[in-house]
Amino acid sequence: MKFLAIDTSGGTACVAAVNEEKEAWRAVEGVTSVCLMDAIDGVLREVGLAAADVGFIACVTGPGSFTGIRIGIATAKGLCFALGKKALALTSFDLLAYAETERALCLVDAGHGNYYACPFANGAAGQPCFLSERELDPYREGGYRFLSGKPLAVESGVTDIRRGLLQAARARSAEAVGAEQLRALYLRKSSAEEKR
């Protein structure tokens, strides 16, 4: 399997490339819109791939940073269209739940005591939603294990996002589609839209 994966949804953007058994991962250092292509070039070189050799390009479509998501999707679409490759949409939740086999509530910090959340049970995702800290109680009482990619104000296990990016892309590779179908997953309006 050969692929490129892009995650610009969180505080630190990252890219990964896989060439059969070889894997490379890199954090995007600096301004994402300026440094993303250099990071992509770096991971592809590290695993000995040209961009034209990948089977598909995976991209995290959200939820997370509104600007980051748009940068990642635009980059993935541009590469897919230029190279004639398929795109694989992954969610931030897919990266968190990659190793979960029981009941988990995947959480992404949405700021101000709120969370983007998605329940998983036996490997199947439920409906993503936007929840306040108080709205997490029924899940806690229902025996859900909380998972996140970084420490949160609520108690949660922290998973390895890098490993999740690679595992989710491998597991869902058959779902790659035309890049025109790659769309952002927004669970609420941006701050600018809310102020209108």
Side-chain angles (χ1 to χ4, degrees):
M1 185 175 292
K2 301 176 181 184
F3 65 85
L4 172 67
I6 301 168
D7 178 14
T8 56
S9 66
T12 302
C14 67
V15 295
V18 170
N19 183 359
E20 305 304 344
E21 300 303 314
K22 294 180 185 175
E23 295 178 356
W25 173 90
R26 188 171 292 184
V28 178
E29 303 292 338
V31 178
T32 302
S33 60
V34 175
C35 303
L36 182 59
M37 291 306 293
D38 285 339
I40 289 170
D41 184 57
V43 292
L44 289 172
R45 286 177 189 264
E46 196 171 325
V47 298
L49 279 177
D53 296 333
V54 301
F56 64 91
I57 297 171
C59 179
V60 177
T61 59
S65 160
F66 286 88
T67 301
I69 290 166
R70 289 190 290 269
I71 291 168
I73 289 174
T75 301
K77 279 186 171 183
L79 288 169
C80 287
F81 288 136
L83 301 169
K85 301 296 177 180
K86 289 188 174 183
L88 175 64
L90 299 174
T91 69
S92 303
F93 306 124
D94 293 327
L95 276 56
L96 296 172
Y98 73 94
E100 193 56 42
T101 56
E102 305 222 353
R103 296 192 336 157
L105 184 68
C106 296
L107 299 173
V108 175
D109 190 353
H112 309 289
N114 297 304
Y115 299 91
Y116 302 117
C118 186
F120 281 78
N122 302 316
Q127 184 65 38
C129 52
F130 181 74
L131 301 173
S132 68
E133 189 169 335
R134 187 176 37 186
E135 291 171 310
L136 298 176
D137 290 341
Y139 292 96
R140 188 179 291 111
E141 293 161 7
Y144 280 82
R145 180 173 174 246
F146 290 3
L147 294 175
S148 64
K150 63 180 183 177
L152 300 174
V154 296
E155 186 177 331
S156 62
V158 177
T159 63
D160 183 351
I161 296 294
R162 295 173 296 174
R163 181 66 30 213
L165 181 61
L166 294 173
Q167 294 294 87
R170 280 189 178 102
R172 299 198 36 218
S173 62
E175 298 173 33
V177 295
E180 68 280 355
Q181 295 184 43
L182 203 57
R183 289 185 177 75
L185 171 61
Y186 296 135
L187 298 180
R188 68 176 178 93
K189 294 179 178 180
S190 69
S191 297
E193 289 172 313
E194 289 176 348
K195 292 176 183 175
R196 288 184 194 159

